[in-house]
Amino acid sequence: MGIYDEGLEPGPANWAPLSPVSFLERSALAFPAKTAVIDEARRVDYRTLLARCLRFADALRRREIGRGDTVSVIAANSLGMLEAHYGVPMAGAVLNTVNVRLEPATVAYILEHSEAKLLMASRECLELAKAALVKLERPIPAIALDGAPPGAGWEDYEAFLAEGSPEGAVQLPADEWDAVSLCYTSGTTGRPKGVVYHHRGAYLNALGNALGLGLGPGSVYLWTLPMFHCNGWTFTWAVTAVGGTHICQRAVVPARIFEAIAE
C-alpha cells in the first residue's frame, strides 16, 4: 500500500453520493427568496419549494413508500410535476413520469409493469388517469395535483403535502447508483419499454446541460418541452442546480408562449 491508500477513505468530509435532489437544497440556501417556479398565476420561491418537497418526501414515507417503490405521475408541466422530481427521490422512491399522449390501456400497462404504489395527475390528465385506473387489477391510491379531487378515491395534493413535515435535512441516497427515475418508450414497436436513471447519472447529465447551455442564476427556462419526456432531458434538475427560474407552460399554445417570452 502507498501513502495515498491509507487515511483517505471516503467519509462525510470528503464524499457524498451524487444526486440531483442536492441541487434544490443548495439553491434554497443560496437563493432562498428568489422565484423558483411560476405556474400560471402562482409563484414559489426556492425556500418554499424546498419546504414543499420535504413535506412531499415525508408524506410518502408516512405511507410506507420509500426505496425501490415507484410513484407514477401523469401531468402537464406544472408546479406539482416539478415538485415530484424532488419529493419522490428525497423519499428514496423512483419517479415514473408517464407520457400524457398515450391511451388508457397503455398507461394501465405502465402502471402495472412499474408496480406503481401511487398515481398523481394534473387537471389536464385526470380523465386519462381515471380511465387507466379502472383497467388495473389492483387498486392504486390517486392524488389530484390541482384543486379538488375529481370524485371518490382521489385525494387533494395540498392535503397530501400537509401530512408531511418540512423539518429535517434532505436525505441523499445511500448509494448514488440507486434508481431515481423510470421512463417508458411510447410503445410504437410493441409494449413500452422501461429505462432507468440512477441518481449519479441524473446529476451528471443535469450539470452537463447547465454547462452546455450556459445556464446561470439569471436564467429563466420556459417549459415547452414536456417534463414527462425523459424528465425534461433532466432540465427539471439542471435549472434548479444554478438557481434559475422554471416557467411552467402547461400546453403548447403559441400565443401564450409569446406572452411568456415578452413578460
Side-chain angles (χ1 to χ4, degrees), residues 40-61:
E40 297 179 322
R42 187 169 189 178
R43 294 176 179 244
V44 175
D45 61 32
Y46 269 107
R47 181 192 297 110
T48 303
L49 182 62
L50 175 60
R52 288 174 60 86
C53 291
L54 287 170
R55 286 186 180 278
F56 195 135
D58 191 52
L60 289 176
R61 295 189 202 100

Side-chain angles (χ1 to χ4, degrees), residues 2 47 63 85 96 120 133 136 168 172-173 179 194 216 221 224 234 248:
R47 181 192 297 110
R63 297 186 181 212
H85 279 79
N96 167 225
M120 313 180 87
L133 285 174
L136 300 181
L172 298 178
Y221 191 90
T224 54
T234 73
C248 296

Side-chain angles (χ1 to χ4, degrees), residues 103-125:
E103 78 284 358
T106 301
V107 173
Y109 170 78
I110 289 172
L111 297 177
E112 291 283 14
H113 188 262
S114 66
E115 301 179 359
K117 295 289 183 68
L118 179 69
L119 174 63
M120 313 180 87
S122 69
R123 64 172 185 262
E124 298 87 353
C125 307

Side-chain angles (χ1 to χ4, degrees), residues 152-171:
W154 285 79
E155 302 177 56
D156 176 69
Y157 178 56
E158 295 299 329
F160 165 75
L161 290 184
E163 295 178 10
S165 169
E167 302 300 325
V170 171
Q171 294 186 22

Side-chain angles (χ1 to χ4, degrees), residues 69-252:
D69 293 328
T70 303
V71 175
S72 296
V73 183
I74 306 176
N77 295 341
S78 57
L79 175 62
M81 178 61 134
L82 186 64
E83 289 175 340
H85 279 79
Y86 296 91
V88 172
M90 280 180 187
V94 181
L95 176 64
N96 167 225
T97 55
V98 181
N99 187 332
V100 304
R101 303 185 183 115
L102 299 176
E103 78 284 358
T106 301
V107 173
Y109 170 78
I110 289 172
L111 297 177
E112 291 283 14
H113 188 262
S114 66
E115 301 179 359
K117 295 289 183 68
L118 179 69
L119 174 63
M120 313 180 87
S122 69
R123 64 172 185 262
E124 298 87 353
C125 307
L126 287 175
E127 294 306 314
L128 173 60
K130 288 191 287 185
L133 285 174
V134 299
K135 295 180 178 295
L136 300 181
E137 298 180 359
R138 60 187 176 89
I140 296 179
I143 294 175
L145 292 174
D146 304 294
W154 285 79
E155 302 177 56
D156 176 69
Y157 178 56
E158 295 299 329
F160 165 75
L161 290 184
E163 295 178 10
S165 169
E167 302 300 325
V170 171
Q171 294 186 22
L172 298 178
D175 187 344
E176 62 186 20
W177 199 258
D178 281 356
V180 67
S181 75
L182 168 64
C183 298
Y184 280 82
T185 64
S186 60
T188 52
T189 57
R191 288 292 196 181
K193 300 161 186 67
V195 179
V196 179
Y197 297 9
H198 47 65
H199 282 256
R200 176 184 174 87
Y203 178 101
L204 293 174
N205 199 80
L207 288 186
N209 282 346
L211 289 170
L213 265 70
L215 298 180
S219 296
V220 181
Y221 191 90
L222 179 63
W223 275 102
T224 54
L225 166 68
M227 290 185 189
F228 71 72
H229 188 59
C230 301
N231 300 107
W233 293 116
T234 73
F235 281 101
T236 45
W237 297 304
V239 175
T240 301
V242 298
T245 299
H246 299 264
I247 309 293
C248 296
Q249 194 76 28
R250 285 178 172 251
V252 180

